[in-house]
Amino acid sequence: MERKEAKVFIYGAEQVCASCVNLPSSKETYEWLEAAITRKYPEQAFHIQYIDIYSPPEEEAIKRFAAKVVEEDMFYPVVLINDTVVGEGNPRLKTIFSELEKHGYQAG
């Protein structure tokens, strides 16, 4: 199976979500995930990006999803791999790794 570089997006905000008190911030989750994916899948490229839901970049799809997170009161951080939501509020590594492996990633 040929592997395409996965795009991992972490949507969040500076302020911790009201339902997520005592959990890491969205930025901390982004840093933790980047390190965990790099360790689990060494030398397998992936793109990871943190997106502030209140000031997203101009890319239309990203702006649309950021607005959805706000409008639907989703628990953030929300983790997307390509177009699949794999975590909300307190993402689980097992779920994230499982989705990456569906895209051809192999543990190192």
Side-chain angles (χ1 to χ4, degrees), residues 3 5-8 33-39 41 44-48 100 105:
R3 180 179 49 79
E5 183 176 291
K7 293 183 191 261
V8 182
L33 265 180
E34 183 175 37
I37 294 169
T38 301
R39 255 193 323 275
Y41 306 102
Q44 295 171 69
F46 64 95
H47 170 84
I48 187 165
L100 285 169
Y105 283 73

Side-chain angles (χ1 to χ4, degrees), residues 4 11 13 16 21 28 31 33 35 46 52 56 64 66 72 82 86 88 91 95 97 100 105:
K4 257 181 80 182
Y11 287 81
V16 175
V21 176
E28 289 168 332
E31 291 164 359
L33 265 180
F46 64 95
D52 186 312
R64 244 191 334 269
E72 295 183 9
N82 297 335
V86 293
E88 210 182 308
T95 308
F97 290 163
L100 285 169
Y105 283 73

Side-chain angles (χ1 to χ4, degrees), residues 10-101:
I10 292 90
Y11 287 81
E14 291 294 319
Q15 184 179 345
V16 175
C17 134
S19 303
C20 306
V21 176
N22 298 327
L23 292 176
S25 72
S26 298
K27 275 245 163 83
E28 289 168 332
T29 299
Y30 160 78
E31 291 164 359
W32 166 73
L33 265 180
E34 183 175 37
I37 294 169
T38 301
R39 255 193 323 275
K40 178 94 172 174
Y41 306 102
E43 297 172 30
Q44 295 171 69
F46 64 95
H47 170 84
I48 187 165
Q49 183 176 354
Y50 171 78
I51 293 151
D52 186 312
I53 57 176
Y54 296 111
S55 59
E58 288 301 308
E59 196 176 318
E60 198 53 46
I62 291 174
K63 280 174 68 170
R64 244 191 334 269
F65 193 82
K68 178 180 175 173
V69 172
V70 174
E71 289 162 11
E72 295 183 9
D73 284 329
M74 295 174 82
F75 296 132
Y76 52 83
V78 177
V79 180
L80 248 68
I81 295 179
N82 297 335
D83 295 321
T84 304
V85 175
V86 293
E88 210 182 308
N90 188 13
R92 304 258 174 251
L93 277 179
K94 186 175 181 182
T95 308
I96 292 164
F97 290 163
S98 173
E99 185 64 25
L100 285 169
E101 287 166 11

